[in-house]
Amino acid sequence: MSPILQIKNITKRYGGLTAVNDVSFDVNKGEILSVIGPNGAGKSTLFKLISSFVPATSGEVIFNGERISSLAPHKVARMGVVRTFQETTIFRSMTVRENIIVSHHLRSKASLLGFFLGTKQAKEDEDAFAASADDIVDFLGLQAIRNELASNLPQGHLRALGMAIGLATDPKVILLDEPFAGMNHDETMKMVALVRRLRDERGVTVLLVEHDMPAVMKISDRIVCINFGQKIAEGTPQEIRENEQVIEAYLGSEDAAIGM
Amino acid sequence: MNAKKLLGFAAFLLAVFVLVPLIIKATGRSDFYYTLTSVALLSVGAAGVWLTFYIGRINIGQGAYALVGGYVSTILVTQAGVSFWLTLPLAGLFCALISVLIGLPILRLRGVYFAMVTLVLTEVARLTALALPITNGAKGITSIPLPGEFSLFGITIIPAFGSLANPRFGFYIMAVVLMIITYLVLWRIVNSRLGHLCRSLQQNEELSASIGVNTAYLRVLAYAISSFFGGIAGAMFASIAQSIYPSSFVVADSVNFMLYCFLGGLGYVFGPMLGTLLLYFGWDLLSIAREYQLLIYSGIMILLMLVLPNGVLSLLDKKEGRA
């Protein structure tokens, strides 16, 4: 398998604080890779670095052989590396369907002027977006709430909507920030199945940050563990489970938390 | 556009082009033409401010662009002898260009910070007009000739205003046409993908960037369109008043542009138009209260914001039971 995304010696300092320190790992095409670590380990910062939302102090991120770590976020998204948000960030005053349709922006062929004038291409684009949005609604099972305002949705649906927004951009790599946070067991299992289908049916490479250890162990092909901004381990769920340093990092958060 | 909207549009055209002139003729109050012309032009400027609200920025600087637009048109007409009709789009384009230069750095700011910077812009424009030799300082530029004839391929489309029996009526028609074009453009923007993207920007800039929207570009674009509207409104004003001074548009005017949007409703394309009409007439009507005019006016404004935070047009929503 070839790496689709390479993180090379990436470091981020905020003043005297080193949030991410010299972290390197590869993400292979079509795999589900989880980044784990205790609170404040620098997982979210790492995600922001990969999606280029914050500039790296040093090091670089390579996507399909191209350096993306100095590009503007919308350009990184345009190349196919798309991030969903921890805070269930959505367009609150739009309906679910509108949220998904507007997120198809990257696929538009017509120019903004074209959309203003309502050219043939623009109409084709709009039709394609609407069709694709309905497709995504079906895929995620959001039919019942498609015309609901996003601000009225419960948390579980918001998370699904966040994923729908990510999907609409037709990503090659999707970064999911804590997709299982605040979910009960059943919801988590549904989400795990969904993330798998994302990869299996849509061919999206998934990179996720998560606290929920049982879910991570279940879903991941490989796991990268970071602590205090540094990578301390990388490997299959089995290898991670048996890694001394990982166990040490999680000490106090109970062995059970690592799913043992 | 569905039939209902088309009907509404036709009714509006009928009202402004037939009904209003008839009423004014019947009552003999031709000074109303001037008032309504002002309303139409102010609402063109307010349309621009509304668009910046639509991308989530509070714009209290439209007066600056109206002033710049007024000066650009006036100077071109008086010193270069360019036809007014040509200077109208040029004034708009000039303002759009300046707004790109100003917008690039300041549109990074959000919320109250952006608002504060734009508030300063009007004052900067006024002081610049005072200082530059070409604007003739505090004396301003007066006796600007009325707009001349506008013809295309030898066919007169707009007759020279000086030759009109009633130039006021001419200005009224011109201003209303300008207003209608402006709002059609705005309506089209809002109802096309461009508007959806603006809304995404207003609701969540970070997410907007992560779905691949070039947020910086879109912000500048919206601001440039906004300033274009401000510029052409200012150019028309200068031409109607046949004069322009550094104090033609001051901070209070910029604040008013914003208030028109608030009053009409930020969620409705035609909000600023209605807001301008209500506020402009409201202020005039309150002049009977003399020294209490401002007090009552401000009181009503505060009350309206408390009772109808989404603007006067939100009343329609409630009636349709949508709220």
Side-chain angles (χ1 to χ4, degrees):
Chain A
M1 270 199 283
S2 59
I4 188 167
L5 197 66
Q6 296 169 282
I7 288 89
K8 287 188 172 169
N9 308 97
I10 205 146
T11 297
K12 177 68 192 176
R13 285 192 201 92
Y14 291 106
L17 178 83
T18 307
V20 174
N21 191 6
D22 199 26
V23 170
S24 303
F25 61 92
D26 288 353
V27 184
N28 295 320
K29 197 170 185 318
E31 78 175 339
I32 298 177
L33 186 136
S34 301
V35 177
I36 61 167
N39 277 327
K43 305 183 297 288
S44 288
T45 308
L46 185 65
F47 258 37
K48 284 180 192 156
L49 288 169
I50 295 173
S51 53
S52 211
F53 265 78
V54 296
T57 310
S58 67
E60 55 184 4
V61 180
I62 310 283
F63 171 70
N64 268 343
E66 272 185 82
R67 185 190 154 103
I68 57 168
S69 41
S70 52
L71 297 176
H74 72 267
K75 288 197 176 132
V76 173
R78 196 157 291 184
M79 292 174 73
V81 180
V82 173
R83 164 192 177 208
T84 66
F85 289 80
Q86 191 166 2
E87 313 86 331
T88 56
T89 304
I90 36 113
F91 301 123
R92 304 194 67 80
S93 333
M94 296 188 195
T95 67
V96 167
R97 197 159 171 272
E98 282 174 333
N99 259 284
I100 304 174
I101 288 179
V102 82
S103 305
H104 279 77
H105 181 64
L106 283 176
R107 300 194 201 176
S108 62
K109 293 190 197 76
S111 64
L112 286 180
L113 186 67
F115 281 114
F116 175 77
L117 298 173
T119 57
K120 191 158 159 279
Q121 179 71 61
K123 287 205 182 78
E124 278 171 18
D125 278 3
E126 290 292 1
D127 291 346
F129 297 168
S132 161
D134 291 335
D135 191 35
I136 292 172
V137 163
D138 289 344
F139 181 75
L140 296 174
L142 299 172
Q143 294 91 338
I145 53 155
R146 50 189 292 206
N147 291 321
E148 197 67 48
L149 266 188
S151 54
N152 297 339
L153 296 181
Q155 184 151 21
H157 280 144
L158 282 180
R159 194 79 43 78
L161 178 56
M163 203 171 280
I165 290 172
L167 273 183
T169 61
D170 199 12
K172 301 204 171 50
V173 176
I174 195 163
L175 311 179
L176 303 176
D177 205 346
E178 306 205 2
F180 315 121
M183 286 187 170
N184 66 30
H185 181 76
D186 285 355
E187 287 166 337
T188 303
M189 286 306 118
K190 269 188 203 151
M191 198 55 137
V192 164
L194 194 63
V195 172
R196 283 234 177 90
R197 283 176 55 213
L198 209 65
R199 188 256 315 260
D200 298 340
E201 292 174 25
R202 294 196 167 235
V204 182
T205 304
V206 180
L207 185 61
L208 59 93
V209 158
E210 188 46 63
H211 276 297
D212 186 332
M213 283 307 149
V216 167
M217 292 295 165
K218 203 171 159 63
I219 200 171
S220 311
D221 295 317
R222 285 191 309 133
I223 296 172
V224 168
C225 180
I226 58 174
N227 195 17
F228 298 115
Q230 272 172 313
K231 186 175 92 174
I232 57 172
E234 179 180 353
T236 62
Q238 188 59 32
E239 287 164 0
I240 291 293
R241 199 174 278 153
E242 288 158 6
N243 187 296
E244 291 283 326
Q245 274 182 295
V246 176
I247 294 169
E248 202 176 306
Y250 274 91
L251 211 66
S253 58
E254 308 297 314
D255 285 356
I258 334 179
M260 289 196 287
Chain B
M1 235 194 273
N2 57 35
K4 201 178 152 198
K5 275 181 186 145
L6 220 58
L7 209 66
F9 185 56
F12 179 77
L13 290 183
L14 194 74
V16 293
F17 289 121
V18 181
L19 236 49
V20 167
L22 280 179
I23 291 170
I24 288 180
K25 197 159 193 189
T27 54
R29 289 288 301 271
S30 68
D31 57 315
F32 255 25
Y33 276 134
Y34 186 75
T35 318
L36 286 172
T37 304
S38 299
V39 169
L41 291 179
L42 287 173
S43 70
V44 169
V49 177
W50 187 88
L51 188 62
T52 38
F53 268 115
Y54 208 61
I55 60 161
R57 290 291 186 282
I58 302 166
N59 181 352
I60 329 182
Q62 191 70 321
Y65 294 104
L67 193 65
V68 171
Y71 270 112
V72 167
S73 162
T74 303
I75 289 168
L76 284 175
V77 167
T78 55
Q79 308 208 352
V82 182
S83 159
F84 168 76
W85 303 112
L86 187 60
T87 69
L88 197 59
L90 284 179
L93 286 175
F94 187 80
C95 287
L97 190 73
I98 298 184
S99 75
V100 169
L101 297 179
I102 296 175
L104 277 174
I106 70 168
L107 279 165
R108 291 162 173 271
L109 302 171
R110 294 183 195 189
V112 73
Y113 303 102
F114 179 80
M116 274 176 350
V117 175
T118 57
L119 189 61
V120 174
L121 281 182
T122 319
E123 195 58 11
V124 170
R126 187 181 74 86
L127 292 174
T128 311
L130 270 176
L132 287 180
I134 197 164
T135 54
N136 204 20
K139 291 198 289 288
I141 302 170
T142 50
S143 1
I144 304 166
L146 284 170
E149 189 182 278
F150 179 66
S151 54
L152 214 59
F153 309 116
I155 305 158
T156 308
I157 293 171
I158 305 165
F161 274 57
S163 70
L164 287 178
N166 188 356
R168 273 185 177 168
F169 180 64
F171 274 122
Y172 169 74
I173 294 294
M174 188 58 214
V176 169
V177 167
L178 200 64
M179 175 178 82
I180 289 171
I181 294 172
T182 303
Y183 278 87
L184 283 179
V185 168
L186 195 64
W187 187 83
R188 182 62 205 148
I189 289 176
V190 167
N191 286 290
S192 78
R193 189 163 183 80
L194 192 54
H196 301 166
L197 293 177
C198 289
R199 272 173 77 200
S200 81
L201 210 57
Q202 176 201 52
Q203 292 176 28
N204 199 321
E205 280 190 22
E206 270 204 314
L207 183 59
S208 197
S210 77
I211 60 164
V213 178
N214 188 342
T215 52
Y217 170 74
L218 193 59
R219 279 196 300 258
V220 170
L221 181 68
Y223 191 53
I225 295 171
S226 157
S227 307
F228 182 90
F229 289 156
I232 55 174
M236 264 308 268
F237 257 117
S239 176
I240 291 172
Q242 293 188 276
S243 64
I244 185 156
Y245 305 95
S247 57
S248 290
F249 291 96
V250 291
V251 173
D253 294 296
S254 292
V255 173
N256 277 334
F257 278 124
M258 181 189 64
L259 289 180
Y260 299 149
C261 297
F262 267 130
L263 184 73
L266 297 179
Y268 311 89
V269 177
F270 301 105
M273 199 196 278
L274 182 70
T276 313
L277 186 73
L278 289 178
L279 264 193
Y280 200 90
F281 271 94
W283 175 253
D284 275 4
L285 285 177
L286 281 174
S287 64
I288 48 167
R290 269 173 283 161
E291 67 263 42
Y292 298 111
Q293 185 182 19
L294 189 60
L295 184 71
I296 297 174
Y297 178 80
S298 322
I300 292 175
M301 280 304 287
I302 293 172
L303 209 65
L304 274 173
M305 284 188 190
L306 284 176
V307 183
L308 294 171
N310 295 323
V312 173
L313 280 176
S314 61
L315 283 172
L316 290 178
D317 279 0
K318 289 204 180 102
K319 220 169 66 184
E320 284 168 15
R322 218 176 64 181

Coordinates of all heavy atoms in Angstrom, one line a residue, chain A residues 126-166:
Chain A
E126 N -26.1 22.8 -10.3 CA -27.1 22.9 -9.2 C -27.8 21.5 -9.2 O -28.1 21.0 -8.1 CB -28.1 24.0 -9.4 CG -27.5 25.4 -9.2 CD -27.1 25.7 -7.7 OE1 -27.3 24.8 -6.9 OE2 -26.6 26.8 -7.4
D127 N -28.2 21.1 -10.3 CA -28.9 19.8 -10.4 C -28.1 18.6 -9.9 O -28.6 17.8 -9.1 CB -29.4 19.5 -11.8 CG -30.5 20.5 -12.3 OD1 -31.0 21.2 -11.4 OD2 -30.7 20.5 -13.5
A128 N -26.8 18.6 -10.3 CA -25.9 17.6 -9.8 C -25.8 17.6 -8.3 O -25.8 16.6 -7.6 CB -24.6 17.7 -10.5
F129 N -25.6 18.9 -7.8 CA -25.5 19.0 -6.3 C -26.7 18.5 -5.6 O -26.6 17.8 -4.6 CB -25.3 20.5 -5.9 CG -24.0 21.1 -6.5 CD1 -23.8 22.5 -6.4 CD2 -23.0 20.3 -7.0 CE1 -22.7 23.0 -6.9 CE2 -21.9 20.9 -7.6 CZ -21.7 22.2 -7.5
A130 N -27.8 18.9 -6.1 CA -29.1 18.4 -5.4 C -29.2 16.9 -5.4 O -29.5 16.3 -4.4 CB -30.3 19.1 -6.1
A131 N -28.9 16.3 -6.6 CA -29.0 14.9 -6.7 C -28.0 14.2 -5.7 O -28.3 13.3 -5.0 CB -28.7 14.4 -8.1
S132 N -26.7 14.7 -5.7 CA -25.7 14.2 -4.9 C -26.1 14.4 -3.4 O -25.8 13.5 -2.6 CB -24.4 14.8 -5.2 OG -23.5 14.6 -4.1
A133 N -26.7 15.5 -3.1 CA -27.1 15.8 -1.7 C -28.1 14.7 -1.2 O -28.0 14.2 -0.1 CB -27.6 17.2 -1.5
D134 N -29.1 14.5 -2.1 CA -30.1 13.5 -1.8 C -29.4 12.1 -1.6 O -29.8 11.3 -0.7 CB -31.1 13.4 -2.9 CG -32.0 14.7 -2.9 OD1 -32.1 15.3 -1.8 OD2 -32.5 15.0 -4.0
D135 N -28.4 11.8 -2.4 CA -27.7 10.6 -2.3 C -27.0 10.5 -1.0 O -27.1 9.4 -0.3 CB -26.6 10.6 -3.4 CG -26.0 9.3 -3.6 OD1 -26.7 8.3 -3.4 OD2 -24.8 9.2 -3.9
I136 N -26.4 11.6 -0.5 CA -25.7 11.6 0.8 C -26.7 11.4 1.9 O -26.5 10.7 2.9 CB -24.8 12.8 0.9 CG1 -23.7 12.8 -0.1 CG2 -24.3 13.0 2.4 CD1 -22.9 14.1 -0.2
V137 N -27.8 12.1 1.8 CA -28.9 12.0 2.8 C -29.3 10.6 2.9 O -29.4 10.1 4.0 CB -30.1 12.9 2.3 CG1 -31.3 12.5 3.1 CG2 -29.8 14.4 2.6
D138 N -29.5 9.9 1.8 CA -29.8 8.4 1.9 C -28.7 7.6 2.5 O -29.0 6.8 3.4 CB -30.1 7.9 0.5 CG -31.4 8.5 -0.1 OD1 -32.2 9.0 0.7 OD2 -31.6 8.4 -1.3
F139 N -27.5 7.9 2.1 CA -26.3 7.2 2.6 C -26.2 7.2 4.1 O -25.9 6.2 4.8 CB -25.0 7.7 1.9 CG -23.8 7.0 2.4 CD1 -23.5 5.8 1.8 CD2 -22.9 7.6 3.3 CE1 -22.3 5.1 2.2 CE2 -21.7 7.0 3.6 CZ -21.4 5.7 3.1
L140 N -26.5 8.4 4.6 CA -26.3 8.6 6.1 C -27.6 8.4 6.8 O -27.7 8.5 8.0 CB -25.8 10.0 6.4 CG -24.4 10.3 5.9 CD1 -24.0 11.8 6.1 CD2 -23.4 9.4 6.6
G141 N -28.7 8.1 6.1 CA -30.0 7.8 6.7 C -30.6 9.1 7.4 O -31.1 9.0 8.5
L142 N -30.5 10.2 6.7 CA -31.0 11.4 7.2 C -32.3 11.9 6.6 O -32.8 13.0 6.7 CB -30.0 12.6 7.0 CG -28.6 12.4 7.7 CD1 -27.6 13.5 7.3 CD2 -28.7 12.4 9.2
Q143 N -33.0 10.9 5.9 CA -34.2 11.3 5.1 C -35.2 12.0 6.0 O -35.8 13.0 5.5 CB -34.9 10.0 4.5 CG -34.0 9.3 3.5 CD -33.2 8.3 4.1 OE1 -32.8 8.3 5.3 NE2 -32.7 7.3 3.3
A144 N -35.4 11.6 7.2 CA -36.5 12.1 8.0 C -36.2 13.6 8.4 O -37.2 14.3 8.7 CB -36.7 11.3 9.3
I145 N -35.0 14.0 8.4 CA -34.7 15.3 8.9 C -34.1 16.2 7.8 O -33.6 17.3 8.1 CB -33.7 15.3 10.1 CG1 -32.5 14.5 9.7 CG2 -34.3 14.7 11.3 CD1 -31.2 14.8 10.5
R146 N -34.3 15.8 6.6 CA -33.6 16.6 5.5 C -34.0 18.0 5.4 O -33.2 18.9 5.0 CB -33.8 15.9 4.2 CG -35.3 15.5 3.9 CD -35.4 14.7 2.7 NE -35.0 15.4 1.5 CZ -35.4 15.2 0.3 NH1 -36.2 14.2 0.1 NH2 -35.0 15.9 -0.7
N147 N -35.3 18.3 5.8 CA -35.7 19.7 5.6 C -35.8 20.4 7.0 O -36.4 21.5 7.1 CB -37.1 19.8 4.9 CG -36.9 19.4 3.5 OD1 -35.9 19.8 2.8 ND2 -37.9 18.7 2.9
E148 N -35.2 19.8 8.0 CA -35.1 20.4 9.3 C -34.0 21.4 9.4 O -32.9 21.2 8.8 CB -34.9 19.3 10.3 CG -35.2 19.6 11.8 CD -36.7 19.8 12.0 OE1 -37.5 19.0 11.5 OE2 -37.0 20.8 12.6
L149 N -34.2 22.5 10.1 CA -33.1 23.5 10.3 C -32.0 22.9 11.2 O -32.3 22.2 12.2 CB -33.7 24.7 11.1 CG -34.1 25.9 10.2 CD1 -34.4 27.1 11.1 CD2 -33.1 26.3 9.2
A150 N -30.8 23.1 10.8 CA -29.7 22.4 11.5 C -29.7 22.8 13.0 O -29.3 22.0 13.8 CB -28.4 22.8 10.8
S151 N -30.1 24.0 13.3 CA -30.0 24.5 14.7 C -31.0 23.7 15.6 O -30.9 23.7 16.8 CB -30.3 26.0 14.8 OG -31.5 26.3 14.2
N152 N -32.0 23.0 15.0 CA -33.0 22.2 15.7 C -32.6 20.8 16.0 O -33.3 20.0 16.6 CB -34.3 22.2 15.0 CG -34.9 23.6 14.9 OD1 -34.5 24.5 15.6 ND2 -35.8 23.8 14.0
L153 N -31.4 20.4 15.4 CA -31.1 19.0 15.5 C -30.4 18.5 16.8 O -29.7 19.3 17.4 CB -30.1 18.6 14.3 CG -30.6 18.8 12.9 CD1 -29.5 18.4 12.0 CD2 -31.9 18.0 12.7
P154 N -30.7 17.3 17.2 CA -30.0 16.7 18.4 C -28.6 16.4 18.0 O -28.2 16.3 16.8 CB -30.8 15.5 18.7 CG -31.4 15.1 17.4 CD -31.7 16.4 16.7
Q155 N -27.7 16.1 19.0 CA -26.3 16.0 18.8 C -25.9 14.9 17.8 O -25.1 15.1 16.9 CB -25.6 15.8 20.1 CG -24.1 15.7 19.9 CD -23.4 16.1 21.2 OE1 -23.9 16.2 22.2 NE2 -22.2 16.5 21.0
G156 N -26.6 13.7 17.9 CA -26.2 12.6 17.1 C -26.4 13.0 15.6 O -25.6 12.7 14.8
H157 N -27.5 13.6 15.3 CA -27.8 14.0 13.9 C -26.8 15.1 13.5 O -26.4 15.1 12.3 CB -29.2 14.5 13.8 CG -30.2 13.4 13.7 ND1 -31.4 13.5 14.2 CD2 -30.1 12.2 13.1 CE1 -32.1 12.4 14.0 NE2 -31.3 11.6 13.3
L158 N -26.4 16.0 14.4 CA -25.4 17.0 14.0 C -24.1 16.4 13.6 O -23.5 16.8 12.6 CB -25.1 17.9 15.2 CG -26.2 19.0 15.5 CD1 -25.8 19.8 16.7 CD2 -26.4 19.9 14.3
R159 N -23.7 15.4 14.3 CA -22.5 14.7 14.0 C -22.6 14.1 12.6 O -21.7 14.2 11.7 CB -22.2 13.6 15.0 CG -20.9 13.0 15.0 CD -19.8 13.9 15.7 NE -20.2 14.5 17.0 CZ -20.3 13.9 18.1 NH1 -20.0 12.6 18.2 NH2 -20.6 14.5 19.2
A160 N -23.7 13.4 12.3 CA -23.9 12.9 11.0 C -23.9 13.9 9.9 O -23.4 13.8 8.8 CB -25.3 12.1 11.0
L161 N -24.5 15.1 10.3 CA -24.6 16.2 9.3 C -23.2 16.7 9.0 O -22.8 17.0 7.9 CB -25.5 17.3 9.8 CG -25.5 18.6 8.9 CD1 -26.0 18.2 7.6 CD2 -26.5 19.6 9.6
G162 N -22.4 16.8 10.1 CA -21.0 17.2 9.9 C -20.3 16.3 8.9 O -19.5 16.7 8.0
M163 N -20.6 15.0 9.0 CA -20.0 14.0 8.1 C -20.5 14.2 6.7 O -19.8 14.1 5.7 CB -20.3 12.6 8.6 CG -19.3 11.6 8.1 SD -19.5 10.0 8.9 CE -18.6 10.3 10.5
A164 N -21.8 14.5 6.6 CA -22.4 14.7 5.3 C -21.8 15.9 4.6 O -21.5 15.9 3.4 CB -23.9 15.0 5.5
I165 N -21.5 16.9 5.4 CA -20.8 18.1 4.8 C -19.5 17.7 4.3 O -19.1 18.1 3.2 CB -20.7 19.2 5.9 CG1 -22.1 19.8 6.2 CG2 -19.8 20.3 5.5 CD1 -22.1 20.8 7.4
G166 N -18.8 16.9 5.1 CA -17.5 16.5 4.6 C -17.6 15.6 3.4 O -16.8 15.8 2.4

